[in-house]
Amino acid sequence: MAPMPMFPLGSARLPGSVLTLQVFEPRYRALVRDCLATEEPEFGVVMIERGREVGGGDVRSNVGAVARMLRVTETNDGRYAVIAGMGRRIRVHEWLPDNPYPCADVEDWPDEIHGDVDTDLLQAVTARVRRSAALAMELGDPVPDPSTALSDDPSVATFQLGGLAPLADLDRHRLLCAPGAAARLSLLAEMLDTVEDVLAFRLQD
């Protein structure tokens, strides 16, 4: 376990996705500066379960992922535009005092082994996710590019599919908490049943 700067957000972020931030709160601007002063400019991202991002007083999840800063631009008024890649999954063991920004003792949480991923199911779910994302885009929803290439690693690919699928943040967080890739894929397949029904209904209007 090691202390890590943390950036709670009102949305769930999965490994394999790209995170863009406009950082204006003084405490998080300090986080960006401190991270940039290290050899590995990383911070943890967790979802806020209750409360809001600005001002503190939030209730934070204890499962998240590590964001690695890829590009940081400082604006004239002192804000930061941050582009980060979401990497390995983490678990929070203890939240530390905000000084001035949130920090926590965390450890990596790699996938637990629960059997191999069914390649036929992976192909079928991939097709369903791409189709659902394309329909959501047609309806004007803000979704990632449905044609985004996936990793050859099933662990990463199942996370990427969760990021591409037009899911609610609570569902995406459930995928983040699944113990392994096979469980994550099965859960995503179940979620897609509801997603497809909702999209079909919306397309009738």
Side-chain angles (χ1 to χ4, degrees):
M1 282 182 290
M4 175 172 279
M6 303 295 289
F7 204 127
L9 291 174
S11 57
R13 303 291 173 154
L14 301 179
S17 63
V18 175
L19 172 67
T20 58
L21 294 171
Q22 293 292 329
V23 182
F24 58 89
E25 235 188 309
R27 59 180 178 156
Y28 289 119
R29 282 158 41 190
L31 179 150
V32 171
R33 288 193 296 270
D34 288 352
C35 287
L36 289 174
T38 65
E39 290 185 7
E40 296 185 352
E42 296 180 335
F43 56 92
V45 175
V46 296
M47 189 177 77
I48 296 173
E49 296 181 343
R50 290 192 302 278
R52 58 198 187 113
E53 294 176 18
V54 179
D58 51 345
V59 177
R60 305 158 183 165
S61 168
N62 285 330
V63 177
V66 174
R68 179 70 179 265
M69 293 184 184
L70 303 175
R71 184 183 304 167
V72 179
T73 305
E74 186 174 5
T75 61
N76 292 333
D77 57 3
R79 292 177 298 161
Y80 289 101
V82 178
I83 299 176
M86 299 303 302
R88 63 193 186 278
R89 182 170 60 168
I90 53 173
R91 276 193 285 216
V92 174
H93 279 263
E94 182 182 7
W95 285 97
L96 306 174
D98 290 10
N99 187 25
Y101 47 78
C103 284
D105 281 331
V106 305
E107 70 173 359
D108 290 353
W109 183 17
D111 276 349
E112 301 165 14
I113 299 174
H114 285 283
D116 295 333
V117 170
D118 183 326
T119 54
D120 290 338
L121 179 60
L122 179 59
Q123 289 180 354
V125 169
T126 299
R128 293 175 67 190
V129 166
R130 293 195 190 283
R131 184 166 57 248
S132 295
L135 288 175
M137 183 177 286
E138 236 180 86
L139 289 163
D141 296 343
V143 295
D145 182 354
S147 65
T148 299
L150 300 179
S151 170
D152 293 331
D153 181 343
S155 175
V156 178
T158 50
F159 276 129
Q160 289 176 311
L161 287 170
L164 287 176
L167 300 173
D169 281 304
L170 285 176
D171 285 338
R172 200 164 276 130
H173 184 67
R174 287 175 62 204
L175 291 176
L176 182 63
C177 296
R184 189 159 49 250
L185 184 63
S186 296
L187 181 58
L188 178 55
E190 292 176 16
M191 291 175 176
L192 285 171
D193 292 340
T194 301
V195 168
E196 289 165 343
D197 287 345
V198 170
L199 288 170
F201 178 79
R202 290 176 62 195
L203 284 167
Q204 291 175 0
D205 293 344

